[in-house]
Amino acid sequence: MVETQDQRKHLSQSKSIGRCIVSCIFVFLTQLVLTLVPRFFSASSFLTQLAFSALLLLLFLGFGGWCRRRLLQVRASAPAFVFFNILFIWGFYVSVIRQAVPLLNDAVFSGEVVFLVIGLYSILTSDPGIVTNGSASSDQPLNSSVSQVDNHDEELELPCHESTEGSGLGTRVRYCRTCKAYIKGLDHHCPAFGNCIGQNNHLLFLILLFGFISTEASYLVCASLFAAKSGILDRPSMEPTLSENLAVSTILFMILQLVWQVVFVIWHIYCVCVNIRTDEWIKWKKYPEFQLLVQPQPGQSFANIRFRNPYDKGILQNVEEFLALRA
């Protein structure tokens, strides 16, 4: 029995190492593919290059992921993909960009990279708020086991043990199929961080998002200083070197990252303000407390189900006033 457990542990470690290697290779290929934009479209405007980079990135990640899963039948690790992207950007910064950057900017960017690595490890190993039979603080025990959940097509949900009066952020219990666990205050399962985002690590998640945005903005400043000093943007007719192509392509890559991450952060700030989670917003029809039954109007044969947020008094009050006016 001991040998069997050791073999399983060794097999699990081997799979993890293999996925990390696949992710590392995929990162290098992604960054090299992006250098094709400044290589062949250096005479185009910067916005045109940005649009081509976005299209090329989507095509490569989609097609590359399909080939990896269907043809090669290998799996990658999303957290490792994030980590190796950080490592690639930092390595290129140290070897090329750093020479044109003032000491203060260099210290700020290097500190932010260290913060990201520590934060990524922290959120990867953090407890999002897993609820077990012994730790459940509710009046009702967790009667449904993980195996029971896996044997049903419909997702089993725990009753909401929180009243709508004065409900705080992060106390509802939801089930995550990826982690196969009940999570207190589940927002979503984050593949990039390899963990659920729940009550216990939601603040760390937001801090890490702001850390990514700050680091990417710092890199753009440093890379812009290098581009201005080397003049790579002022001589499009000349054939650039690989390092110059990488400097431009990483700038484009960082801008694309900033665009979606800023939108992502705004969404999560909105969720915090109205006291709702991403999981609840997407799957509100599965949660009875988010359903408001509207009685049928004259000429209608059935009642309508509308969305309401019972944990945000402002939204609930507005819905009730709207229905009162219609009545």
Side-chain angles (χ1 to χ4, degrees), residues 37-255:
V37 174
R39 173 67 178 82
F40 294 103
F41 300 96
S42 59
S44 303
S45 65
F46 190 79
L47 288 178
T48 302
Q49 294 186 42
L50 188 64
F52 277 125
S53 297
L55 181 61
L56 187 62
L57 189 63
L58 290 175
L59 290 176
F60 178 78
L61 291 178
F63 180 73
W66 181 84
C67 291
R68 174 177 54 81
R69 292 187 301 268
R70 300 295 183 180
L71 300 182
L72 301 178
Q73 294 184 350
V74 294
R75 299 184 64 182
S77 169
F81 185 81
V82 175
F83 171 75
F84 284 119
N85 263 305
I86 297 173
L87 200 62
F88 180 90
I89 294 296
W90 182 78
F92 178 72
Y93 167 82
V94 171
S95 59
V96 178
I97 304 294
R98 193 177 191 176
Q99 58 183 326
V101 176
L103 183 61
L104 179 61
N105 297 78
D106 177 50
V108 170
F109 179 73
S110 299
E112 289 172 333
V113 170
V114 173
F115 170 80
L116 286 187
V117 174
I118 296 176
L120 185 61
Y121 174 79
S122 299
I123 200 167
L124 183 64
T125 57
S126 65
D127 173 21
I130 297 177
V131 177
T132 60
N133 288 331
S135 63
S137 59
S138 60
D139 296 330
Q140 301 180 11
L142 303 185
N143 296 323
S144 300
S145 65
V146 173
S147 59
Q148 288 174 325
V149 173
D150 291 336
N151 291 333
H152 291 79
D153 294 332
E154 294 187 1
E155 181 175 338
L156 296 179
E157 299 295 341
L158 288 178
C160 181
H161 303 298
E162 174 187 8
S163 62
T164 54
E165 293 292 333
S167 43
L169 180 66
T171 54
R172 279 95 78 182
V173 178
R174 310 294 184 192
Y175 181 77
C176 175
R177 285 187 175 275
T178 304
C179 295
K180 294 181 172 60
Y182 289 100
I183 309 297
K184 195 174 185 181
L186 174 67
D187 184 87
H188 68 287
H189 182 88
C190 184
F193 295 155
N195 201 354
C196 279
I197 306 302
Q199 174 181 338
N200 294 354
N201 60 359
H202 191 263
L203 179 60
L204 176 61
F205 171 74
L206 292 177
I207 293 175
L208 196 54
L209 284 182
F210 280 106
F212 271 97
I213 292 175
S214 176
T215 305
E216 289 156 1
S218 296
Y219 180 82
L220 286 177
V221 172
C222 297
S224 298
L225 292 173
F226 171 80
K229 184 176 181 180
S230 60
I232 57 178
L233 300 179
D234 300 329
R235 42 187 175 86
S237 58
M238 299 181 61
E239 184 173 348
T241 62
L242 177 61
S243 61
E244 291 174 341
N245 284 333
L246 277 171
V248 177
S249 65
T250 51
I251 290 176
L252 296 170
F253 178 75
M254 286 299 189
I255 292 177

